[in-house]
Amino acid sequence: MTDRDAAPFDLPSMRKQYRADGLAETELAATPVEQFARWFRQAATEGGLFEPNAVVVSTADARGRPSSRTVLLKHFDERGFVFYTNYGSRKARELEENPHVSLLFPWHPMARQVIVAGVAARTGRDETAAYFRTRPHGSQLGAWASVQSSVVTGRDALDAAYAELAARYPEGERVPVPPHWGGFRVVPREVEFWQGRENRLHDRLRYVAEADGGWRVERLSP
């Protein structure tokens, strides 16, 4: 890279000062999902985030080679965190080989992150179908039109596939649920709540699953 191509920024000096107030052990909910619900509610109502349910999903193949991408969280409860995808996609193929997964919610405007480490499994077809019916008509067609993660000859091929589906299933007509499309539920084993603090002395509190079904909370050094 030449000097002309370099970014016109002084990267080492780019930094923000984070908040003075933080996160204490005494403030935590009994379970990580309850704590996540508290923070998610704040992110969705006060955080100024474009898509508070956007989450970076990191997977690895059988040889340990990682990959990451952003998806949208569509449900969470004490059973885990759910997102949907094409089962032929790279992330789905990797989860079939290696079900261990990391989820990262990057709530930067609030100087917060939530990091979930767990194991993923497919949702049932009834649950998948129920969610699919809530998707806009165009998104339902898109699930059929895209052979996710595969190489395409160009945008025109993708648009043509969509147009053919739109003619076959016009607005108002029931679109069948694709057999190659569905959900993954990530059952958490560890959940870290990261709160940015002054002087880079961040608060990092992590829930760790216990054998008896409970949770242990530990503080990590920033």
Side-chain angles (χ1 to χ4, degrees), residues 11-83:
L11 294 179
S13 69
M14 294 180 69
R15 59 178 56 87
K16 296 290 186 181
Q17 186 63 279
Y18 295 145
R19 58 202 292 172
D21 55 321
L23 180 65
E25 287 84 344
T26 55
E27 301 172 359
L28 292 177
T31 71
V33 172
E34 291 177 28
Q35 182 63 34
F36 180 83
R38 291 179 184 177
W39 270 24
F40 185 81
R41 187 176 301 109
Q42 292 175 344
T45 58
E46 308 165 17
L49 295 157
F50 174 62
E51 287 184 318
N53 61 327
V55 55
V56 179
V57 177
S58 296
T59 57
D61 63 17
R63 295 173 59 185
R65 295 172 298 189
S67 63
S68 299
R69 74 291 292 159
T70 302
V71 304
L72 296 179
L73 181 75
K74 288 301 178 181
H75 182 73
F76 68 90
D77 57 25
E78 293 295 339
R79 297 180 298 160
F81 300 82
V82 178
F83 64 90

Side-chain angles (χ1 to χ4, degrees), residues 85-89 135 138-150 152 157-159 161-162 165 178 180-181:
T85 187
N86 186 306
Y87 285 143
S89 66
R135 287 165 62 93
S139 296
Q140 293 182 10
L141 297 179
W144 279 100
S146 172
V147 184
Q148 197 172 81
S149 300
S150 66
V152 294
L158 188 62
D159 290 340
Y162 182 89
L165 286 160
H180 56 268
W181 187 94

